[in-house]
Amino acid sequence: MLNQRQFQHTISPQLLSLGILGILGLLYAPLLLHWLDGWLNKNISTEHEYFSHGIIGLPFAAYITWKNRKLWQRLPNRIHPLGAVFLLVGGIFYLSGISEWVNLSFPTILTGLCLWFKGIPGLKLQRFPLLLVFLATPTLVPYLIAPYTFPLQSFIAGTAGFILNQFGMAVTVDEINIYVGGRIVEVAPYCAGLKMLFTTLYVGLMLLYWTGALSSRHKTISFLSIAVLISVSGNIIRNTLLTYFHGTGQEAAFHWLHDSWGGDMFSAVMLVLLIPILNKINSYFSEPAVIEQERANGQ
């Protein structure tokens, strides 16, 4: 009789978890598939393409959650009132039918479930996966930021023009417009590198978590600052190449880098560069600690 009760006590939470996952799957599988299709085939709005890092971020968030499952099970069941609030708000967002609100209902519902079942400790345990989900959720943030990117556009245009001038090309820069070879290239708001910047910071957070460096403020700030510089520098190089290709009539190369897989390859190379940089930062901040430890042991 005791064994049967223990079995029921063990299996009930598992059945409840499976039931919740099943309901979430029915509710959000179409939405997630819509995101994935749009990110892969680029058939959704430009703003939503800015969140294509979710292709790798959402599976990584699911992996972390699965990895923490035993820690989750050990937490005592504790209902926090905010859980009901988040669940209610998420339900309203989902039923609203407004695409942006429906998108936001996904991380809202997940947050509410954490608070409803495990309280604040559960939320703390799942805070990084929830952050990855939230930062991968398509919103209007890029659209809202775009009007304020003019200084960055002007900086990129001026720097690209300066570089091309050093190679002997007759280039004129007028704010965000670059004139070369009788043609004009505009560094539009969506060419200012915001998408690459979002992706760089997102992947940077993933790398920091994977290596355990996220717990160090110095490592995190140093790495993300360098990541921003890499992103901006990479976008300057990309716009310089696009201007050169367009100004010299190399339309095939222009479209390859601008619209085709050339741009994806360029972004991938920039992201790969983050790995050795993070390794270098880890080594730099670890060496003083090792030296201090050796001195302590020597004493």
Side-chain angles (χ1 to χ4, degrees), residues 53 93 105 130 182 237 288:
H53 47 252
F93 280 2
S105 72
L130 287 172
I237 295 172

Side-chain angles (χ1 to χ4, degrees), residues 14 17-18 21 58-73 125-126 129-130 209:
Q14 295 177 353
S17 299
L18 289 175
L21 289 176
L58 293 180
F60 188 61
Y63 165 76
I64 296 173
T65 303
W66 173 257
K67 185 179 177 182
N68 292 338
R69 68 189 184 280
K70 292 184 179 180
L71 294 175
W72 173 268
Q73 293 170 357
L125 178 64
Q126 305 294 356
L130 287 172
Y209 179 87

Side-chain angles (χ1 to χ4, degrees), residues 237-273:
I237 295 172
R238 181 173 178 270
N239 277 276
T240 301
L241 291 173
L242 288 172
T243 304
Y244 173 78
F245 291 148
H246 189 62
T248 56
Q250 301 182 50
E251 296 304 322
F254 176 86
H255 289 294
W256 171 77
L257 185 59
H258 188 264
D259 304 319
S260 188
W261 58 272
D264 296 331
M265 185 182 71
F266 186 89
S267 299
V269 171
M270 301 301 296
L271 294 176
V272 169
L273 290 176

Side-chain angles (χ1 to χ4, degrees), residues 57-214:
L58 293 180
F60 188 61
Y63 165 76
I64 296 173
T65 303
W66 173 257
K67 185 179 177 182
N68 292 338
R69 68 189 184 280
K70 292 184 179 180
L71 294 175
W72 173 268
Q73 293 170 357
R74 291 170 188 165
L75 291 175
N77 295 328
R78 184 181 304 168
I79 297 177
H80 194 283
L82 278 178
V85 175
F86 273 93
L87 289 173
L88 177 62
V89 172
I92 293 173
F93 280 2
Y94 187 87
L95 295 174
S96 69
I98 302 173
S99 60
E100 303 301 329
W101 288 16
V102 174
N103 292 343
L104 284 172
S105 72
F106 184 52
T108 305
I109 290 289
L110 293 178
T111 302
L113 288 173
C114 290
L115 288 168
W116 182 260
F117 287 106
K118 300 295 182 178
I120 297 298
L123 182 63
K124 289 182 177 180
L125 178 64
Q126 305 294 356
R127 62 183 180 274
F128 191 73
L130 287 172
L131 177 64
L132 292 180
V133 172
F134 176 73
L135 294 178
T137 300
T139 63
L140 289 176
V141 170
Y143 175 79
L144 297 174
I145 294 178
Y148 303 98
T149 61
F150 185 82
L152 180 59
Q153 295 169 249
S154 300
F155 173 73
I156 292 172
T159 306
F162 174 79
I163 293 173
L164 292 174
N165 278 324
Q166 305 313 303
F167 286 92
M169 296 187 68
V171 178
T172 302
V173 178
D174 181 16
E175 293 185 338
I176 62 173
N177 299 310
I178 308 173
Y179 299 88
V180 55
R183 301 187 175 198
I184 180 174
V185 175
E186 178 188 3
V187 181
Y190 297 116
C191 296
L194 287 181
K195 182 178 184 297
M196 186 60 196
L197 181 60
F198 285 1
T199 302
T200 300
L201 291 174
Y202 192 86
V203 174
L205 285 174
M206 291 173 59
L207 290 173
L208 286 167
Y209 179 87
W210 183 261
T211 59
L214 191 60

